[in-house]
Structure formats: C-alpha cells, structure tokens
Amino acid sequence: MRTSLLLLFALGCVEEPSAEAPKAEDTGTPSLPDVDRDGDGFPEEVDCDDRAADVNAAAPELCNGRDDDCDGAVDEGSIDAPTWYFDDDDDSFGDPGDPVVSCAQPQGAVENADDCDDVDPLVNPSATELCNEVDDDCDGEIDVGAIDESVFYDDLDDDGFGDPASEHRACFADSDDVALAEDCDDSTDLANPSVPEVCRDGIDNDCDGGANSCGWRGEVLSSSAWVSFTGLSPTDRLGLGAASIDLEGDGRRDLLLVARDHGGVTYEAGAIYGLRAPAEGAEGLSDALVRYAGEGAAGQAGVDGGLWVGDSDDDGYDDILVRGRAPSGAGRAYLVRGPHLSPANLGASPLIIDGVLNDSGAPGEGALADLDADGVVELLLVRPAAGDALVVPGLLDGVRDIDDAEASLYLTGGTVGRRVRAQDDFDGDGFNDVVLHGLGSGAVGEVLVFAGPVDGDRLPADAVARRTGLGLGLSTLGAGDLDGDGYDDLLLSSSAVVGGLLSVLPGPVTGSSGGALLEVIGDDAERAVGGWAASVGDSDGDGQSDLLVPLTGPSPVVLFFRSPGEGTLRSSDADARFLSGAERGYSIGDLNGDGLTELLMSAPSGAGEVRLFLGGAI
C-alpha cells in the first residue's frame, strides 16, 4: 500500500504543472528542440557558422579571414594579430613609438621597431656609423666605431708629436691627442723629428734612430779631434801603428801608440806608448802609463805598424805582440804580457822569437789568436823570405826561434810573405780563419784564406779561397762585416789601376774568383786609394759598419764612408775627409763606453801626431 501511494504521489507531481510556470500558448503547432550542428553550445540561430565548432560568439577572433567571434567583422581585434611599426622615412626600419596591431601589414608599416630616428632615412641599424655626432647605426652609442675615425697618438710632452705606441682611433682629438706619431721620447719636448740633433746630450733629438747628424761629414780638421798626441822628439814619427788595449785589466779600453823612430835619426829604437783612455783636450805622451822601448839602436819597435793585442796566457790581461829588430838588425817578435804598469825595454820581454817578421829587410806581420780552438792563444808570425807563417805557442818563455813552431802555413813557392790576419770568421762557423798574403815576382800578389781551426801545417792547396792579381794587397789586408750578414768580409787593395782600387769580397770567401761586394776607386789623378783601409764598425749609431780609406799622395787624407753598402764608390763619394796630413786611419773600438767606435787618425811625418775622434754619439 506505501508503495502504491508513493507512486501515485510521484505521478501526480509530474502531471500537475507548477503554479509559477507560464502556460504554453496554444499555437496549434507542436514546439521543436534548438539545432546545434557543430556541438559548440550555440544553436544554429545564434551561431554564424554552425558547421565550425571554433566559430561562435565565445570564440577568439584570429587572423584567418573568418568572423571567428560572430560579431560581424572579419579579423577585427584578432588575438594573434602582429604589431607593426610605421616607417615614415621609408628606410625599412620602424618607429618604436608608432605601433599598429593588424593582421594585414598596413601600408607604410614594417615588422621591426629598430629605427632610432624615423625622420632621417640615413639613420637605422644598417647604416654606417660616421663621425657626425649622430647615432647613425642605432646601437646606442654616438660616433663609436665610425668608419671615418682618425688615428691619434698621445702627446704627453705637448710638442706636437705623439708616441707611436699609443695609437688609437677616434672621431675627435682629446686635449692631449695629435695626428703625428714619430716621437721617440714622449717624456721630453727635446726629442721629436723637428728638433735638430744636439750631439752628445744623450738624447736622440731628431728621432732618426741614431746619431747620423753627429757623424763626421765634409772636411774634418785636426782641431775637431777629441784629443791629440804629438811625438816627443822631432823625428819620433808617432802614429805608424796604433791599437786599443786594456792595460790594467780594469775593463776599460786604452790606447797603444807606436813612435817607430823614437830616439832620433841615429838611434831609432822606437817606442810603444800605453795611455789610459784620455780625457777631452789632453795632449802629449809624458803622462803615458807605460812605455816599451825598442831593443837598442835601430830597434824600430812597432815598425810598419807591427803591433797586435791578445791574451796569450789566458790570465785576463791583454798581451802585446810587437815587431822590431834585434841589435844585429834581424827581425824579431816580442811578446809582452799584461798587466802593463811599468816601462821596460823590449829586450827584456818574457818571450822573444827570432828569425821572423821583418827578417831579410822585408816587412812581415803577425797576429795573436786562438788558431786551433783549444782555448789558448797562439802567435802567428810571418817569415817574409821563406814565404810562410809560423804558429808558435803563446805560453812559451825565453828567446825562441823557428824550431819552436808547432805548425806552418805556406804561400805558393817563390812568394814573399807580407801580411797575415787571424781574428776573423769568414764562414760563420765560430772559428778564427787565417788570411795570408804574399807578393811574387812581377808584383803579382797572392792571398790565401785557410778555414779555422788551424791545428797543423797548411799548404796552398788547403786554402778555401785564393786570389791573385797585379799589386794585390800591397797595403790593405782588412776584414769586417760591412753588409751585416754575420760573415766577415775581406778587404783587399790593388795598385794595378789608376787611382788605386779597394775591393771588399763578401763572406763566406771561397774559391779563386767572385765579384766584389763593394769597390772604392780613386778618381784623383795624383792620389790613390787603398793604403791601410779599415772597416771600423759602427761609428755613427746607425747600426752599420763604416769604412776608412786613405788617399795617398801629395796632401794625403783619410776618407770616411758611412755605411757604404754595395756597388762602386769613388773617392769623391766619401762622406768625410780627415785632413791635416792624415795618412792612416785606425779602428780602435769603443773607448768611452757609448757603444760607438772611435776613429784614430795619424799624421806620422816628423814628430808625428795622432788624433782621436769620438764616434758620433747622440
């Protein structure tokens, strides 16, 4: 029965309408349910496209050419519409302050907002930055990296020239910037290319890299010398030989000067003077630290420039090898060991060698050098008449002769020995090579080069180079690296041509022929080049070797060629001429420690005079 009543109650509730619900108007036609074909919750009568579920009043408008949100407008207010930027200056870059959102690209608008000045078409990220106080390339920096920047240099000394190491680029100069570099010392206005060189003030005033303007030029008189020395007697003939030496072992280079005829015309004992590196203006030989006198009458100590320096006993002191004559008149070699503190007679020398050098009345030469690369210096002594040179141990003592020689170097048979060199390296192997010169019949000279080390006899066939010629090497047998290639070059003179000829053979010197690196020819009918020519190293600070060439004959002069280079020069091409009777020029190294070679000129007539000219220093 509870069940039947409940069912009836339920049925009654369904069938009886609510009192609040309006009664349907009886139209006489039954009602139909709303149609929603795309199932998007919007019936067909309110859906503008009931075939697409993503098109209805609640759909977001998109850039797709449809009215997605059914508001009657296509693509208007689309949520995926991009932002465009108007490009008023038509340079393809938009103004970030003038955006527009639109599905389609508006006319005059672009996608980017990179233009920092939309009024000027020359200003945009693709433009080239120029020095115009405008941010042309829109990178946020004005004039930085401009292609037309200028190069400037710091000018700290305010002399108008900048330090080359401070190079930098900018559009406009700062207060201490200049456009010119070339200042070699920006800490002082005394150095720049516009300042004339002031010699010996320690500054490269004109910034030319050296002391060229301080080097010797034109005609040089004896009054220009730093210091000069005159023989003590009217016939001393001071200056027939000279060398530099460390007399006391103190590391300073001092002077050795030969007065060949010191003692008078009837007593030509000769003397070797040792003088400390002199001060400016000093004169005379009376203050010499040491004097070595020749061995009696006609001793002629240092005859024909016979004076060589080296450390024969490896004790740290320079020794002196001197050519002279014994009381009998025969040629002798004297070895005087350092230090050199007291005057002495050459006859008391610890080592004397007979039968060499200027025996038989013919001049000869010697040398001090380590010939066999054993670390011990040997004596090399020419025997003119025998046409050879003897190698004698430097550690011997007493009076010796040719029997004490440990090796010989021979010229071609019949050739008279004249000159020798033994402290040069022509092949760059680090060993001393030997150059031997002689003169055969008909004044045909022969020059042989023996490659070091020399540790035994050497015959002409052993020579690595041989040169012959009429008058070859009568006065000059020199060496020096004139072309700066690391090899010593060989200087040879010849009297076979009018005006004389000096030839410089480039190292390595080999064979029996080969062109000259440099030739100097005399163009003076009365005077000839070639006598005692010498490569003197760098005397003017340009880093290259210079050349001294005597011009013999009436009114002799010594020619100075600055960094002569290659080719052919005539005597008239000389950079300077040392006058006042100068006959010989010597390279004596650096006496004052400025790194430049000093020049020594001698006028050995009468009492003789020696003049010291300092290297041209900044």
Side-chain angles (χ1 to χ4, degrees):
M1 177 66 76
R2 182 177 298 176
T3 303
S4 301
L5 291 174
L6 291 173
L7 179 60
L8 290 174
F9 178 78
L11 291 174
C13 292
V14 171
E15 291 178 1
E16 184 156 341
S18 170
E20 297 178 1
K23 294 182 180 181
E25 183 177 352
D26 187 4
T27 61
T29 304
S31 61
L32 297 175
D34 293 335
V35 177
D36 182 9
R37 291 186 179 89
D38 54 13
D40 60 1
F42 291 87
E44 182 179 33
E45 58 266 24
V46 296
D47 196 334
C48 58
D49 187 350
D50 202 34
R51 290 167 298 177
D54 56 349
V55 176
N56 55 67
E61 186 71 21
L62 300 175
C63 292
N64 54 12
R66 300 185 311 185
D67 181 12
D68 301 282
D69 57 2
C70 296
D71 65 352
V74 176
D75 291 348
E76 182 179 352
S78 299
I79 64 172
D80 61 345
T83 301
W84 306 87
Y85 302 88
F86 284 104
D87 176 21
D88 291 338
D89 57 8
D90 198 27
D91 62 359
S92 300
F93 293 90
D95 182 357
D98 194 4
V100 59
V101 178
S102 172
C103 288
Q105 181 177 2
Q107 184 175 359
V110 294
E111 293 179 285
N112 67 82
D114 299 332
D115 204 334
C116 55
D117 185 350
D118 204 39
V119 177
D120 188 345
L122 298 180
V123 176
N124 58 67
S126 69
T128 299
E129 189 72 20
L130 301 174
C131 291
N132 53 10
E133 299 185 343
V134 173
D135 182 11
D136 302 279
D137 57 5
C138 294
D139 65 353
E141 296 181 311
I142 295 175
D143 292 346
V144 175
I147 63 169
D148 57 346
E149 283 181 328
S150 299
V151 176
F152 294 105
Y153 305 88
D154 293 340
D155 179 22
L156 302 181
D157 57 10
D158 197 29
D159 62 0
F161 293 86
D163 178 2
S166 67
E167 177 181 322
H168 56 278
R169 295 179 176 272
C171 284
F172 307 101
D174 289 335
S175 59
D176 60 351
D177 282 349
V178 293
L180 296 176
E182 303 171 358
D183 199 333
C184 56
D185 187 349
D186 204 36
S187 66
T188 174
D189 59 4
L190 298 178
N192 65 62
S194 69
V195 177
E197 189 66 49
V198 179
C199 296
R200 299 182 181 87
D201 67 348
I203 301 173
D204 182 10
N205 305 99
D206 58 6
C207 291
D208 67 351
N212 293 338
S213 60
C214 290
W216 300 106
R217 298 178 184 274
E219 295 186 343
V220 183
L221 300 175
S222 59
S223 58
S224 299
W226 172 260
V227 63
S228 62
F229 300 94
T230 303
L232 296 178
S233 69
T235 59
D236 271 4
R237 300 203 68 188
L238 180 70
L240 283 176
S244 66
I245 184 175
D246 183 358
L247 290 170
E248 304 168 272
D250 60 1
R252 291 175 47 124
R253 302 308 298 174
D254 306 307
L255 281 179
L256 283 180
L257 302 179
V258 173
R260 190 198 70 177
D261 294 345
H262 178 70
V265 294
T266 61
Y267 192 80
E268 298 172 347
I272 310 295
Y273 291 92
L275 302 107
R276 290 190 178 95
E280 182 178 11
E283 292 190 10
L285 302 178
S286 58
D287 293 329
L289 178 65
V290 65
R291 187 189 77 180
Y292 294 112
E295 194 179 1
Q300 292 189 332
V303 60
D304 292 322
L307 181 68
W308 305 277
V309 175
D311 184 3
S312 66
D313 51 4
D314 196 29
D315 64 352
Y317 295 102
D318 284 337
D319 305 325
I320 305 171
L321 179 62
V322 181
R323 176 170 58 197
R325 295 183 185 277
S328 65
R332 268 187 162 181
Y334 305 89
L335 181 67
V336 184
R337 296 192 175 102
H340 305 277
L341 303 174
S342 304
N345 187 287
L346 290 177
S349 298
L351 175 58
I352 299 175
I353 303 173
D354 282 329
V356 293
L357 300 179
N358 57 341
D359 60 328
S360 304
E365 287 201 356
L368 280 167
D370 180 7
L371 301 177
D372 55 7
D374 65 351
V376 179
V377 169
E378 287 79 37
L379 281 60
L380 189 60
L381 307 167
V382 172
R383 291 196 303 164
D388 65 3
L390 302 179
V391 179
V392 179
L395 296 177
L396 295 177
D397 288 309
V399 179
R400 304 287 182 151
D401 58 25
I402 60 174
D403 293 333
D404 295 299
E406 60 184 12
S408 296
L409 291 80
Y410 295 92
L411 290 160
T412 301
T415 301
V416 176
R418 292 279 179 157
R419 306 193 65 184
V420 69
R421 291 187 64 94
Q423 293 181 332
D424 309 301
D425 183 8
F426 297 105
D427 53 11
D429 63 357
F431 299 113
N432 290 322
D433 303 322
V434 177
V435 185
L436 186 58
H437 165 254
L439 198 63
S441 60
V444 176
E446 178 181 58
V447 174
L448 300 177
V449 180
F450 297 95
V454 176
D455 52 5
D457 292 343
R458 293 291 186 270
L459 300 175
D462 298 320
V464 296
R466 180 175 183 263
R467 296 289 193 275
T468 60
L470 186 65
L472 181 64
L474 281 177
S475 53
T476 291
L477 183 62
D481 186 7
L482 282 170
D483 56 3
D485 65 354
Y487 298 101
D488 282 332
D489 308 315
L490 182 60
L491 280 64
L492 302 175
S493 67
S494 174
S495 59
V497 297
V498 176
L501 171 66
L502 175 69
S503 297
V504 179
L505 306 183
V509 181
T510 58
S512 58
S513 62
L517 170 73
L518 172 70
E519 290 185 336
V520 180
I521 301 172
D523 55 7
D524 189 322
E526 296 183 350
R527 296 187 286 189
V529 302
W532 293 83
S535 171
V536 296
D538 183 11
S539 68
D540 58 4
D542 66 355
Q544 301 182 43
S545 292
D546 306 315
L547 183 65
L548 291 179
V549 182
L551 194 59
T552 63
S555 303
V557 300
V558 176
L559 306 176
F560 174 75
F561 294 90
R562 173 179 291 107
S563 309
E566 303 180 15
T568 300
L569 295 172
R570 306 194 73 85
S571 57
S572 56
D573 295 324
D575 294 283
R577 291 184 170 218
F578 289 87
L579 307 179
S580 305
E583 294 183 18
R584 295 187 180 184
Y586 299 94
S587 173
I588 55 171
D590 178 16
L591 297 186
N592 62 356
D594 66 355
L596 302 177
T597 299
E598 272 61 82
L599 305 179
L600 199 68
M601 304 295 160
S602 73
S605 299
E609 185 179 2
V610 174
R611 305 152 190 156
L612 174 63
F613 297 86
L614 293 185
I618 60 174

